[in-house]
Amino acid sequence: MKQEARSRKHELSVAICIDLGGTDLKSAVVDSSGKILHQQSTPSESKKNKKKILDNLISSISIEEQWAQAQGFRIQGVGLGIPGIVSYPEGIVHRSPHFPDLKDFPIKKLLQKKIHFPLVLDNDANMAALGEGWIGAAKGKKNYLLMTLGTGIGGGIVFDGKLLHGDSGFAGEVGHIVIEREGRRCNCGGRGCLEMYASATGILYGLSPSLRRRGLGGGLTAEHLYHLALQGNKTAQKIYKDFGKALGAGIASLVNVLDIELVMLGGGLSGAWKVFIDSTRQSIARHTYLTTAKKIILKRALLGNNAGLIGTARAVFVGY
Amino acid sequence: MKQEARSRKHELSVAICIDLGGTDLKSAVVDSSGKILHQQSTPSESKKNKKKILDNLISSISIEEQWAQAQGFRIQGVGLGIPGIVSYPEGIVHRSPHFPDLKDFPIKKLLQKKIHFPLVLDNDANMAALGEGWIGAAKGKKNYLLMTLGTGIGGGIVFDGKLLHGDSGFAGEVGHIVIEREGRRCNCGGRGCLEMYASATGILYGLSPSLRRRGLGGGLTAEHLYHLALQGNKTAQKIYKDFGKALGAGIASLVNVLDIELVMLGGGLSGAWKVFIDSTRQSIARHTYLTTAKKIILKRALLGNNAGLIGTARAVFVGY
């Protein structure tokens, strides 16, 4: 009996999943149903150089590997989500605002040399989109879009259950849709990108002239403003209303181009859903044909901070 | 000898191709290399009701069928391009500005009942995109985008050699990307759609206040203005420069989302290429990361007015 139980356990396939975040380097062992069996986290120290980042990744993978092997699990592969623009299928980091030293770093090739399992690697928002489609808010949907609203805006577009990668793997940069061509200057060098309106950066941009005039400036974050808005502060409410309106214009553009009905919102700022979503819906209706607007389903992402980790497991088990 | 020649001819497969344009109903017999073997055209009389439009389509198909059979060709199928938003795969016309009476008309189902060959049917810009990818400016390319610049803006997006249809077949409505969220009012009910800037409608919109002040108004078309711009007229040049700039902002948004390198411009206004393309390039560079801008290849579509016809043949022979 004991023998039999152990051999059954042996058959359990797991993925080692890594989410290299701007703040934390998270890793996990995830089974083929998307369940997290073991998880750990350590500061990612983004100032570190690429050699050190690579070493940290290898170290996290190694710990998860030991844990999984001690349990007698079969490791099917390693999945990694990277914050930044990553080429596909080569896995070269093109640009990563959080990890400047990773620029043009062939991370997939170098990491694959050091580990014994097949490695899959993609942008973190892409991985999160996969996770949500697997066991989250888009479960069972073939076509959907995830927008992650944080300091900037990330995105993952899924058609027929597969990520849309484009020519080089850079598709899904939905934060750089131009919604006001003579608008705010963006880090990308452009003007009027969605990211400058519908992100924490956009919130604080909206804050500077208006709130500061009212003595509400210094040190305020998008979260403070969210609570102020909930408490009825008109200026904070207006800032979130503008945020929602800009987001709606961006979603309208995306829907008109992609004809995707399910749009999921994730990332820290999606937590402020209740103070902006009405103006988002109004703005979508304003910028699309009525019949299109009616079809759109806006949903909050379900998997929270684990979406990326779980998505890498989906990429390992099912593909991406 | 004669017998053998005829039997070889029998083996030639052809498609019957129909392009229901706002002005003309064109039809053709096209072989599997994309060569037009026979072609005819008749005014499409867009004011006609749906019954009459259907009859006209059947009549065109019937003439091409007789011609092809007289030649001893094997008819593989019928392809039809429709100006408007068409559901996929059902082939119901959702909305067609040129043929208002076709609204919600299940044209594929009704037409299929009347003809003896498999019918493929899609939006005309989608068909044109297929044609350009088959034997035109995107030949051999897996991923590309066609924008047709006319009264409005049409679009077809191809990934891995297949049209991107989205959930209902409405994908590719690139004219309704929002580039100025408080900008010009659009027919779709929205504001600031690309189509209100980078189309003949946009050109004439730009004309009204500025050119009319100079007594250059009444009866001018985008084509007149093109010739004026070529002759050095500063106002006409500025109008086309603004057109190009808006187009560049739209292309930048598309490229950031889709990561498509090859962008083809077709439709009547692409003929004015030389008076706007420099400002389009500058605008793309302004609204994307430099590395992205460098990758983008702008091309004029090659197949002109026949792109749609040829594309339907591609859909018949290869799929869509």
Side-chain angles (χ1 to χ4, degrees):
Chain A
M1 266 311 268
K2 223 174 170 183
Q3 182 64 29
E4 201 185 87
R6 191 191 291 161
S7 86
R8 245 188 284 127
K9 216 174 176 186
H10 259 291
E11 283 159 28
L12 186 70
S13 281
V14 296
I16 294 177
C17 303
I18 315 283
D19 185 10
L20 178 60
T23 311
D24 293 317
L25 166 57
K26 293 186 294 181
S27 63
V29 173
V30 177
D31 73 13
S32 62
S33 73
K35 192 174 163 194
I36 294 176
L37 306 176
H38 176 263
Q39 193 166 14
Q40 61 171 349
S41 177
T42 178
S44 51
E45 301 173 75
S46 61
K47 300 274 155 48
K48 288 276 161 68
N49 67 31
K50 51 198 173 196
K51 171 79 175 57
K52 182 67 185 155
I53 296 165
L54 196 62
D55 286 347
N56 286 348
L57 291 172
I58 293 165
S59 157
S60 288
I61 292 166
S62 165
I63 292 169
E64 301 297 355
E65 181 184 345
Q66 284 169 40
W67 185 88
Q69 280 171 343
Q71 304 293 316
F73 298 148
R74 199 176 72 77
I75 297 168
Q76 178 124 350
V78 175
L80 171 59
I82 302 261
I85 297 181
V86 184
S87 70
Y88 174 87
E90 303 83 2
I92 299 166
V93 179
H94 188 65
R95 183 174 47 246
S96 175
H98 282 297
F99 299 95
D101 201 47
L102 287 184
K103 188 171 164 50
D104 298 327
F105 190 57
I107 193 164
K108 188 174 176 189
K109 195 173 125 196
L110 295 178
L111 188 56
Q112 182 65 81
K113 276 186 191 166
K114 302 283 186 180
I115 61 175
H116 323 295
F117 313 101
L119 174 66
V120 298
L121 181 155
D122 213 315
N123 164 275
D124 54 357
N126 277 350
M127 288 301 194
L130 284 183
E132 293 289 344
W134 197 31
I135 59 165
K139 189 176 170 182
K141 279 280 180 178
K142 279 168 58 187
N143 304 338
Y144 58 91
L145 162 68
L146 171 69
M147 297 173 82
T148 57
L149 310 172
T151 311
I153 299 181
I157 301 168
V158 172
F159 275 109
D160 283 328
K162 285 186 70 177
L163 284 167
L164 184 80
H165 280 110
D167 278 319
S168 313
F170 306 165
E173 284 298 308
V174 298
H176 298 282
I177 290 178
V178 182
I179 61 164
E180 274 191 27
R181 59 197 180 111
E182 300 301 334
R184 296 175 184 170
R185 197 173 285 281
C186 177
N187 303 323
C188 76
R191 270 191 183 276
C193 294
L194 179 60
E195 174 161 305
M196 298 313 291
Y197 301 85
S199 67
T201 307
I203 291 280
L204 298 180
Y205 207 114
L207 173 145
S208 20
S210 65
L211 265 202
R212 285 199 177 137
R213 266 200 303 274
R214 288 165 177 78
L216 287 166
L220 270 181
T221 64
E223 197 171 350
H224 292 135
L225 282 166
Y226 167 64
H227 291 293
L228 283 174
L230 280 185
Q231 288 158 25
N233 181 294
K234 297 288 175 214
T235 309
Q237 283 175 344
K238 182 169 185 318
I239 287 175
Y240 267 103
K241 211 179 149 183
D242 287 348
F243 170 100
K245 210 172 153 186
L247 181 62
I251 292 174
S253 290
L254 288 165
V255 167
N256 284 328
V257 171
L258 302 170
D259 185 26
I260 280 181
E261 286 167 19
L262 176 56
V263 177
M264 278 176 304
L265 303 178
L269 267 166
S270 66
W273 173 277
K274 66 174 94 166
V275 297
F276 69 76
I277 201 67
D278 286 346
S279 49
T280 302
R281 288 190 209 282
Q282 285 161 22
S283 178
I284 292 174
R286 186 187 189 218
H287 288 292
T288 55
Y289 285 103
L290 196 59
T291 42
T292 307
K294 279 184 184 161
K295 288 195 310 172
I296 298 170
I297 301 159
L298 289 179
K299 271 194 182 180
R300 283 184 65 174
L302 265 182
L303 306 179
N305 288 333
N306 288 330
L309 274 181
I310 292 170
T312 66
R314 200 281 198 173
V316 166
F317 288 116
V318 188
Y320 66 125
Chain B
M1 266 312 266
K2 225 175 169 182
Q3 182 66 30
E4 201 185 86
R6 193 191 292 160
S7 86
R8 245 188 282 125
K9 219 175 175 186
H10 259 290
E11 284 159 28
L12 187 69
S13 281
V14 296
I16 294 178
C17 303
I18 315 283
D19 185 9
L20 177 62
T23 312
D24 294 317
L25 166 56
K26 294 186 294 181
S27 64
V29 172
V30 177
D31 74 13
S32 63
S33 73
K35 192 174 161 192
I36 294 175
L37 307 175
H38 177 261
Q39 193 165 15
Q40 62 172 349
S41 178
T42 179
S44 51
E45 301 173 77
S46 61
K47 301 274 154 49
K48 287 276 158 70
N49 65 31
K50 50 199 173 194
K51 170 77 176 59
K52 182 68 185 156
I53 296 166
L54 196 62
D55 286 347
N56 286 348
L57 291 172
I58 292 165
S59 157
S60 288
I61 292 167
S62 166
I63 292 169
E64 300 296 355
E65 180 183 345
Q66 284 168 40
W67 185 87
Q69 279 171 345
Q71 304 292 316
F73 298 149
R74 200 176 72 78
I75 297 167
Q76 178 124 351
V78 174
L80 170 59
I82 302 261
I85 298 182
V86 185
S87 70
Y88 174 88
E90 303 83 1
I92 299 167
V93 179
H94 187 65
R95 184 174 44 244
S96 174
H98 283 296
F99 300 95
D101 201 46
L102 288 185
K103 188 170 164 50
D104 298 328
F105 190 56
I107 193 164
K108 189 174 176 189
K109 195 175 125 195
L110 295 177
L111 189 55
Q112 182 65 80
K113 276 186 189 164
K114 302 281 186 181
I115 60 175
H116 322 295
F117 313 100
L119 174 66
V120 297
L121 182 155
D122 213 315
N123 166 274
D124 54 356
N126 276 351
M127 288 300 193
L130 283 183
E132 293 290 344
W134 198 29
I135 59 165
K139 189 176 169 181
K141 278 280 181 180
K142 279 167 56 186
N143 304 340
Y144 59 91
L145 163 68
L146 171 69
M147 297 174 81
T148 57
L149 310 173
T151 311
I153 299 181
I157 301 168
V158 173
F159 275 109
D160 284 328
K162 286 187 70 178
L163 284 168
L164 184 79
H165 280 111
D167 278 319
S168 314
F170 307 166
E173 285 297 308
V174 298
H176 298 282
I177 289 178
V178 181
I179 62 164
E180 275 191 27
R181 60 196 179 111
E182 300 300 334
R184 298 175 184 170
R185 198 174 284 280
C186 177
N187 302 323
C188 76
R191 272 192 181 276
C193 293
L194 180 60
E195 174 161 305
M196 298 313 291
Y197 300 84
S199 67
T201 307
I203 292 280
L204 298 180
Y205 208 113
L207 173 145
S208 22
S210 65
L211 265 202
R212 286 200 176 137
R213 266 201 303 274
R214 288 166 177 77
L216 287 167
L220 270 180
T221 63
E223 197 171 350
H224 292 136
L225 281 166
Y226 167 64
H227 291 294
L228 283 174
L230 281 184
Q231 286 157 27
N233 179 295
K234 297 287 176 215
T235 309
Q237 284 176 343
K238 181 166 183 320
I239 286 175
Y240 267 103
K241 211 179 149 183
D242 287 347
F243 170 101
K245 211 172 152 185
L247 181 62
I251 292 174
S253 290
L254 287 166
V255 166
N256 285 328
V257 171
L258 303 170
D259 185 26
I260 279 182
E261 287 167 17
L262 176 56
V263 178
M264 279 176 305
L265 303 178
L269 268 166
S270 65
W273 173 276
K274 66 174 93 165
V275 297
F276 69 75
I277 201 67
D278 285 347
S279 49
T280 302
R281 288 191 209 282
Q282 284 161 22
S283 178
I284 293 173
R286 186 185 187 221
H287 289 292
T288 55
Y289 284 103
L290 197 60
T291 42
T292 307
K294 279 186 185 160
K295 288 194 311 173
I296 297 169
I297 301 159
L298 289 179
K299 271 194 182 179
R300 282 184 65 174
L302 265 181
L303 306 179
N305 288 334
N306 289 330
L309 275 181
I310 292 170
T312 66
R314 200 279 198 176
V316 166
F317 288 116
V318 188
Y320 67 124

